[in-house]
Amino acid sequence: MKHFILTAAALLSASASLGATEVLTSPDGRLQLSFDLTADGTPTYKMDYNNKPVIATSRLGLELKNQKSLLDGFKMERVSRSSFDETWQPVWGEQSSIRNHYNEMAVCLSQPDDNGHLREMIVRFRLYDDGVGFRYEWPAQDNFTYFTIKEERTEFAMTGDHTAYWIPGDYDTQEYDYTISRLSEVREKMPAVKFSYNVSSTVFSDTGVQTSLQLKTDDGIYLNIHEAACVDYSTMHLNLDEKRMVLTSWLTPDARGDKGYLMASCHSPWRTVMVTSTATAALDSKLILNLNEPCKLEDTSWIHPTKYMGVWWEMIVGKSSWAYSNASAVNLDSIDYKTMKPNGIHGANNDNVKRYIDFAAENGFDQLLVEGWNIGWEDWFGHEKDYVFDFVTPNPDFDIAMLNDYAHSKGIKLMMHHETSGSLRNYERHLDAAYSLMNKYGYDAVKSGYVGNMVPRGEYHYGQWANNHYLYCIKEAAKHHIMVNAHEATRPTGLCRTWPNLVGNESARGTEYEAFGGSEPYHTVILPFTRLQGGPMDYTPGIFVTKLSEWCNNKSNVNTTLCGQLALYLTMYSPLQMAADLPENYEKYDDAFQFIRDVACDWDDSRYLEAEPAKYITVARKAKGTDNWFVGGKCDAEGHQSVVRLDFLDKGRKYDCAIYQDAPDADYEKNPSAYVITHRTVKKGDVLKLKQARGGGFAVSLMAK
Ligand code: NOJ
Ligand code: CA
């Protein structure tokens, strides 16, 4: 075995001199990508940054089922090159305009099949100043139409034993804390599978990790491996071969073990490697969005950034219930809601919802999410049933017409909730009726969820079939002018550019885990490097009473200070931002709540001022259509001293500045709600020195005078 590995490696390195190497350079000339074929016709690529290798020679190709594989025996037919430079305007985002500038090289390869007929495959590379995207394309052709992927074998050969920020490869969930280790330590540090409240978990390998995978080399280069525009294809994981230091694609299978059914003409998603010399540049990157197709919706006027509250956290902490009764029903038909005894703790009851509506409206929110409004919650979790919810029948104590009218009369909307419990077919059957009901009552946003094993049995959350389902729902929702925020769905790959009604996803460990034992204090200073590369996260920040036992029977602590929670409205970019705590908890800290009232969630400009994965992130953002700026800084359990130079402000202008800062003795474990608010007038060039406590953060509003 060892002998074989050495021989293969020798062959790969020898290959460079055999054929003509095709070289592609980034617009700024710093990144260079080389494509080559080995002696046996295996496609390979490698990448240099500032003349130093960042991706060593890596093989490309796919293994097919019951057909000759697309791994070797290729000849280069032709190479075409082009350049692209365009600036586009997202419907919502961190910036009002985004530059999409790359050099492209499409390598057309041919390979004889078992009968000697030629098959064509194109490998298309787009090289940006901050990374590469490449994909496989199969044009329509006579001898190659239908094929089944056994495995994609795209390699990412590392040039060293880099530091990695990773979560275990899993076909069903991303709801993990990150591990920070050398690549060589992944096997040893692979966490044991924990019970997850939310979804089934299917870990497939001792050295499998998920994308987006953030890496840092010993030379201080930041690498990030992910994918863009995953459509009609399975989500990619990476499996590490520690001996060769090579990460290889590992697709999510279907119930039969197949990894994708394709029909030419078609293509894979883009495989991406981001390369930057600073961490702030990694956060600035728009590589994933740029590789997605432009917006497909003609009218986007109905899509809007949304700040919302929810009848939610009280259920998550265990104080109230989604279910109306304590019955343990086995199907919807066996529940007689008219005669059933309410359990007395149903959260989505008329009075409670009205209380939240009043508070949300008084404080300027756009929407109120209500979970547990519909029948079926008595028996929804952990069953592989093909029915559970119908998404249209309210519980008896939730007057859907009255509550929507009440909300509208106060200038806000209710936000719909569709928990599918993983029963995708059931959801698809009810989808049109469910969205039509939303239209009837004036809902324009839905939080959907995919808790539990996928139904039919054996399909996975990240497989091709489920991925197609999520996109189907987004497209159908667009027809009804509905914005979608899907939890437990596949990890995002920038499709929100094409379908901007996809305003959020969870697809990572969200705030809910702070009520299930807590998350690592560094969690939120990794997510922007990883999960957020593919699109915004509905992280649900804003928990003010972080010691939950102060108000409910839950022993968990939220592992940040109160100011750390405020910072998340800036550092965790999303056009959909929740204030997740309860009205009574906000009333206790009304002066700090002012920041949540003030903060925007759509931006003309964003500047990452300082960052280091798992340590700290500080960002300044200019609120869309205004001259107001907001700055947020979040750090890990070590604390951090930030020096913020207000260089981004307009010259000659004065700003009312409110600073929400951890008190000198604040500490996420010992003293989480100690904060100091100061007000002053500032101008361009002024400097703010802001100390962040352990697990802390800060938030600043700068209102133009
Ligand atoms: C998991 C989601 O992440 C959470 O927000 C939701 O409340 C529950 N599922 C129930 O749908
Ligand atoms: Ca979840």
Side-chain angles (χ1 to χ4, degrees):
M1 192 60 192
K2 201 165 190 185
H3 173 72
F4 168 77
I5 290 168
L6 284 174
T7 312
L11 258 179
L12 281 177
S13 56
S15 68
S17 57
L18 283 174
T21 304
E22 295 294 332
V23 177
L24 179 67
T25 307
S26 61
D28 69 358
R30 293 169 72 178
L31 265 179
Q32 206 179 58
L33 181 134
S34 311
F35 175 89
D36 218 329
L37 288 174
T38 62
D40 70 353
T42 302
T44 68
Y45 75 102
K46 62 178 184 150
M47 212 158 51
D48 290 353
Y49 183 57
N50 289 332
N51 300 316
K52 280 180 90 174
V54 280
I55 296 289
T57 302
S58 306
R59 284 180 282 223
L60 296 165
L62 296 98
E63 203 177 329
L64 302 186
K65 187 178 171 186
N66 303 329
Q67 269 189 78
K68 182 172 171 182
S69 287
L70 297 163
L71 292 168
D72 52 23
F74 283 103
K75 280 210 175 76
M76 222 185 281
E77 291 289 338
R78 58 189 177 277
V79 176
S80 52
R81 291 163 183 278
S82 59
S83 292
F84 189 82
D85 190 1
E86 173 199 80
T87 298
W88 58 281
Q89 281 72 42
V91 175
W92 42 260
E94 293 184 272
Q95 273 93 17
S96 52
S97 62
I98 294 174
R99 187 171 179 196
N100 186 8
H101 187 198
Y102 59 82
N103 291 334
E104 180 173 288
M105 173 170 86
V107 184
C108 181
L109 303 168
S110 71
Q111 178 216 48
D113 68 11
D114 287 331
N115 302 316
H117 297 128
L118 285 187
R119 313 193 283 189
E120 267 197 4
M121 178 169 88
I122 294 167
V123 187
R124 186 178 301 275
F125 296 93
R126 287 188 180 166
L127 197 55
Y128 291 77
D129 289 345
D130 57 4
V132 70
F134 60 89
R135 71 181 187 189
Y136 304 97
E137 297 178 358
W138 298 278
Q141 50 195 294
D142 288 345
N143 301 307
F144 191 59
T145 303
Y146 299 101
F147 56 105
T148 302
I149 299 174
K150 197 162 167 197
E151 190 57 274
E152 182 183 320
R153 301 240 180 255
T154 302
E155 293 184 345
F156 304 87
M158 300 291 100
T159 55
D161 187 10
H162 306 325
T163 301
Y165 306 79
W166 57 276
I167 54 175
D170 191 312
Y171 298 149
D172 283 299
T173 185
Q174 278 203 284
E175 296 182 352
Y176 287 97
D177 262 321
Y178 281 82
T179 302
I180 306 166
S181 77
R182 294 276 174 179
L183 281 169
S184 58
E185 296 167 327
V186 167
R187 182 186 295 278
E188 163 199 334
K189 302 224 160 142
M190 184 62 65
V193 180
K194 286 188 214 149
F195 171 75
S196 154
Y197 155 83
N198 290 78
V199 292
S200 53
S201 170
T202 314
V203 175
F204 59 87
S205 154
D206 290 347
T207 54
V209 296
Q210 302 201 32
T211 73
S212 118
L213 172 66
Q214 181 65 43
L215 301 156
K216 187 178 179 186
T217 72
D218 287 349
D219 296 344
I221 304 290
Y222 298 84
L223 301 176
N224 185 294
I225 305 176
H226 192 33
E227 60 179 320
C230 183
V231 175
D232 198 15
Y233 206 87
S234 294
T235 296
M236 177 179 75
H237 309 265
L238 299 169
N239 197 38
L240 175 70
D241 175 344
E242 307 121 298
K243 294 203 188 82
R244 297 166 58 223
M245 270 301 151
V246 172
L247 292 152
T248 307
S249 54
W250 182 304
L251 300 182
T252 308
D254 71 357
R256 294 147 53 110
D258 295 331
K259 300 211 161 180
Y261 303 106
L262 275 76
M263 183 186 138
S265 64
C266 58
H267 54 76
S268 72
W270 298 96
R271 277 61 188 95
T272 61
V273 184
M274 190 198 294
V275 187
T276 60
S277 55
T278 62
T280 49
L283 297 175
D284 273 330
S285 176
K286 295 288 171 280
L287 180 70
I288 303 292
L289 285 181
N290 275 332
L291 286 164
N292 275 270
E293 287 178 28
C295 179
K296 291 206 170 160
L297 302 174
E298 257 171 45
D299 172 18
T300 56
S301 59
W302 49 276
I303 300 172
H304 52 85
T306 302
K307 225 195 284 183
Y308 75 104
M309 291 187 69
V311 182
W312 176 73
W313 187 236
E314 59 177 80
M315 276 94 95
I316 291 288
V317 300
K319 190 170 179 259
S320 62
S321 73
W322 283 271
Y324 170 72
S325 78
N326 288 333
S328 52
V330 287
N331 71 53
L332 285 183
D333 301 334
S334 72
I335 306 179
D336 183 353
Y337 281 91
K338 299 228 165 52
T339 55
M340 189 177 284
K341 239 179 95 209
N343 62 14
I345 55 161
H346 179 223
N349 68 73
N350 291 332
D351 289 345
N352 200 31
V353 175
K354 280 171 86 172
R355 186 174 75 91
Y356 274 83
I357 290 173
D358 290 344
F359 185 84
E362 274 158 26
N363 290 284
F365 286 85
D366 304 302
Q367 302 211 351
L368 176 74
L369 165 76
V370 186
E371 298 201 5
W373 69 277
N374 55 330
I375 62 169
W377 287 92
E378 277 73 9
D379 179 34
W380 69 283
F381 177 65
H383 299 276
E384 295 187 20
K385 295 185 293 196
D386 68 348
Y387 60 86
V388 173
F389 296 110
D390 68 6
F391 312 99
V392 292
T393 313
N395 272 309
D397 56 351
F398 182 90
D399 185 336
I400 188 166
M402 181 276 286
L403 288 169
N404 277 286
D405 287 348
Y406 187 74
H408 299 163
S409 75
K410 302 228 158 185
I412 72 167
K413 283 186 195 300
L414 295 187
M415 187 183 287
M416 181 46 85
H417 182 233
H418 291 163
E419 173 54 65
T420 69
S421 66
S423 297
L424 271 57
R425 279 289 180 253
N426 179 60
Y427 190 38
E428 286 176 6
R429 265 182 226 137
H430 290 97
L431 201 64
D432 191 55
Y435 286 163
S436 299
L437 182 94
M438 288 177 62
N439 289 154
K440 176 173 172 197
Y441 289 108
Y443 293 84
D444 70 359
V446 61
K447 168 181 171 180
S448 54
Y450 294 90
V451 169
N453 295 333
M454 288 268 134
V455 181
R457 183 190 289 266
E459 293 293 342
Y460 297 109
H461 281 73
Y462 300 161
Q464 181 185 24
W465 183 76
N467 287 349
N468 286 346
H469 163 87
Y470 308 129
L471 189 53
Y472 169 74
C473 295
I474 294 163
K475 291 182 187 174
E476 288 302 302
K479 292 180 194 160
H480 289 263
H481 287 192
I482 287 169
M483 300 181 283
V484 177
N485 161 29
H487 280 220
E488 294 90 33
T490 201
R491 71 188 70 127
T493 58
L495 291 170
C496 56
R497 176 181 177 191
T498 314
W499 303 101
N501 65 316
L502 175 60
V503 289
N505 275 116
E506 186 193 43
S507 305
R509 188 180 175 93
T511 299
E512 60 186 355
Y513 279 84
E514 300 280 24
F516 311 153
S519 296
E520 291 287 353
Y522 58 65
H523 188 55
T524 54
V525 273
I526 295 184
L527 287 173
F529 289 95
T530 54
R531 161 66 186 77
L532 269 57
Q533 291 291 345
M537 175 171 178
D538 182 32
Y539 187 71
T540 71
I543 304 304
F544 273 16
V545 182
T546 60
K547 280 182 188 294
L548 301 183
S549 58
E550 278 182 23
W551 66 276
C552 63
N553 188 18
N554 184 318
K555 292 198 178 63
S556 264
N557 286 333
V558 177
N559 288 328
T560 72
T561 63
L562 188 150
C563 281
Q565 289 290 310
L566 294 182
L568 297 175
Y569 290 89
L570 280 309
T571 58
M572 295 282 292
Y573 165 68
S574 174
L576 182 72
Q577 286 287 12
M578 186 180 199
D581 214 334
L582 275 61
E584 52 269 42
N585 291 340
Y586 288 130
E587 273 159 1
K588 271 190 206 153
Y589 301 102
D590 187 65
D591 55 353
F593 191 49
Q594 185 59 39
F595 182 78
I596 298 182
R597 280 191 284 259
D598 289 340
V599 71
C601 49
D602 197 19
W603 311 98
D604 273 332
D605 197 3
S606 294
R607 313 265 177 97
Y608 288 92
L609 304 176
E610 56 171 357
E612 181 60 23
K615 299 259 179 242
Y616 52 83
I617 295 173
T618 301
V619 64
R621 303 191 193 272
K622 188 177 185 218
K624 192 120 179 206
T626 76
D627 290 320
N628 302 331
W629 285 78
F630 294 84
V631 189
K634 180 79 194 78
C635 70
D636 66 353
E638 304 293 308
H640 184 64
Q641 179 73 49
S642 292
V643 179
V644 175
R645 287 176 197 286
L646 303 176
D647 294 341
F648 44 83
L649 298 180
D650 286 346
K651 205 172 165 196
R653 187 125 200 210
K654 291 206 165 128
Y655 295 80
D656 276 331
C657 171
I659 302 171
Y660 303 76
Q661 209 179 341
D662 291 322
D665 59 346
D667 180 294
Y668 78 97
E669 286 172 308
K670 296 188 200 110
N671 197 11
S673 45
Y675 58 87
V676 181
I677 302 175
T678 41
H679 293 271
R680 51 193 269 204
T681 301
V682 296
K683 59 177 185 331
K684 182 181 170 84
D686 286 353
V687 174
L688 306 179
K689 294 197 170 144
L690 300 152
K691 186 172 169 290
Q692 300 178 50
R694 296 179 64 241
F698 68 82
V700 175
S701 60
L702 296 147
M703 306 300 204
K705 286 202 189 209

